[in-house]
């Protein structure tokens, strides 16, 4: 599995924990890859994405500790971190299920607008919009928000077997509409989902409010043949 951090997937993680506790599923044989990690935080910083995912999800399931992978953001070797992460993903046979959120600027992972649609895991600089959006995790102090991340690339994300993007709230309505119904463009990295043969987008009404064909999507979903899953 590939996992996003941030607010959007929290309900999904809560549901997976519920199913684990109900003994419906186990993560004992799963390998988990984070989408991205901040550069420049102290090791173990509670706001690192590794700490976030351990707190919100991994500590509550039976995933073996060594099966949690995140980009290496140590200063030494930063230039090869992306390639090493790609090799680790490849060594386990790739990512079957990738959970995603979307930034207000249209990013997936931290592939900011103008990221190559063929990009692989690498160092990226966050946009001002992304840093402002994430300041809530840093006591609303913009100065504390890191400027750099190592993120899976758009090409890396597109290699996963199934993409599931979750978005809620009115702030996501614009980027969601641009990603789903706008042109395929590096200016909206999430529009790359249009290239993927198996992408599922889960929205609340507010996040879906700017979709031109929302009624058609509801009709399609309601009329899905029973053999066709999401
Ligand atoms: C986080 C990530 C980002 C977030 C996006 C939405 O690992 O890759 O793309 O998914 O910034 O964040 P939230 O869900 O907090 O609105």
């Amino acid at each position: 599995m590939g996992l996003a951090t941030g607010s959007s997937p929290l309900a999904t993680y809560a549901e997976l924990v519920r199913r684990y506790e109900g003994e419906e599923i186990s993560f004992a044989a799963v390998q988990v890859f984070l989408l991205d990690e901040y550069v420049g935080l102290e090791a173990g910083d509670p706001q690192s994405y590794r700490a976030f995912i351990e707190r919100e999800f991994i500590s509550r399931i039976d995933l073996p500790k060594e099966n949690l992978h995140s980009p290496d953001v140590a200063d030494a070797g930063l230039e090869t971190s992306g390639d090493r992460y790609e090799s680790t993903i490849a060594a386990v046979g790739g990512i079957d299920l990738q959970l995603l959120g979307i930034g207000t600027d249209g990013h997936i992972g931290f592939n900011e607008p103008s990221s190559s649609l063929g990009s692989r895991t690498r160092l990226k600089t966050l946009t001002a919009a992304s840093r402002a959006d994430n300041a809530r995790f840093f006591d609303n102090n913009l100065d504390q928000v890191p400027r750099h991340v190592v993120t899976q690339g758009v090409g890396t994300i597109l290699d996963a077997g199934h993409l599931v993007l979750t978005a809620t709230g009115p702030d996501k309505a614009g980027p969601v509409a641009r990603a789903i119904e706008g042109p395929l463009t590096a200016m909206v990295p999430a529009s790359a989902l249009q290239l993927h043969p198996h992408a599922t987008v889960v929205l609340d009404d507010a996040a879906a409010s700017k979709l031109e064909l929302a009624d058609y999507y509801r009709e399609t979903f309601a009329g899905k043949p029973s053999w066709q899953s999401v």
Side-chain angles (χ1 to χ4, degrees), residues 4-9 35-36 49 101-103 107-110 136 172:
T5 49
S7 306
S8 306
L35 261 181
D36 36 31
Y49 279 159
I102 182 171
H107 69 220
I108 45 173
F110 271 125
R136 69 188 194 281
K172 300 294 174 74

Side-chain angles (χ1 to χ4, degrees), residues 12-228:
T12 307
Y13 298 147
E15 175 61 17
L16 290 173
V17 169
R18 193 190 68 73
R19 292 189 194 186
Y20 162 68
E21 287 172 345
E23 297 182 7
E24 291 172 51
I25 52 175
S26 164
F27 295 87
V30 173
Q31 299 280 342
V32 162
F33 289 85
L34 295 197
L35 261 181
D36 36 31
E37 183 57 281
Y38 287 120
V39 174
L41 298 178
E42 297 291 326
D45 187 301
Q47 295 318 328
S48 73
Y49 279 159
R50 195 177 174 97
F52 179 99
I53 208 78
E54 280 174 344
R55 193 167 57 236
E56 299 293 339
F57 187 35
I58 305 300
S59 61
R60 301 161 67 193
I61 57 172
D62 61 343
L63 186 96
K65 229 178 163 32
E66 62 276 16
N67 290 12
L68 173 61
H69 309 275
S70 56
D72 177 7
V73 289
D75 265 359
L78 204 49
E79 66 281 14
T80 59
S81 167
D83 289 347
R84 284 183 280 124
Y85 202 54
E86 294 278 337
S87 301
T88 315
I89 294 173
V92 303
I95 293 172
D96 296 315
L97 173 64
Q98 176 66 61
L99 303 184
L100 297 166
I102 182 171
T104 55
D105 64 1
H107 69 220
I108 45 173
F110 271 125
N111 296 283
E112 300 288 30
S114 79
S115 287
S116 159
L117 299 182
S119 52
R120 311 302 305 187
T121 307
R122 71 221 181 283
L123 184 79
K124 283 295 288 182
T125 303
L126 295 175
T127 59
S130 292
R131 292 185 65 238
D133 286 347
N134 284 292
R136 69 188 194 281
F137 296 115
F138 293 86
D139 300 326
N140 287 312
N141 182 348
L142 202 52
D143 293 338
Q144 286 182 24
V145 185
R147 292 185 179 276
H148 296 102
V149 291
V150 173
T151 180
Q152 286 187 34
V154 179
T156 318
I157 292 169
L158 290 178
D159 282 350
H162 182 190
L163 306 182
V164 178
L165 185 149
T166 306
T168 57
D171 291 351
K172 300 294 174 74
V176 160
R178 287 196 294 280
I180 296 176
E181 296 180 335
L184 174 66
T185 169
M187 289 303 282
V188 184
S191 68
L193 264 67
Q194 296 175 27
L195 290 170
H196 199 280
H198 192 186
T200 304
V201 179
V202 183
L203 306 171
D204 66 359
D205 284 338
S209 61
K210 293 195 174 161
L211 288 169
E212 212 174 298
L213 298 185
D215 289 344
Y216 170 63
Y217 307 141
R218 288 193 181 96
E219 189 185 328
T220 306
F221 189 71
K224 260 182 177 298
S226 56
W227 52 263
Q228 195 184 46

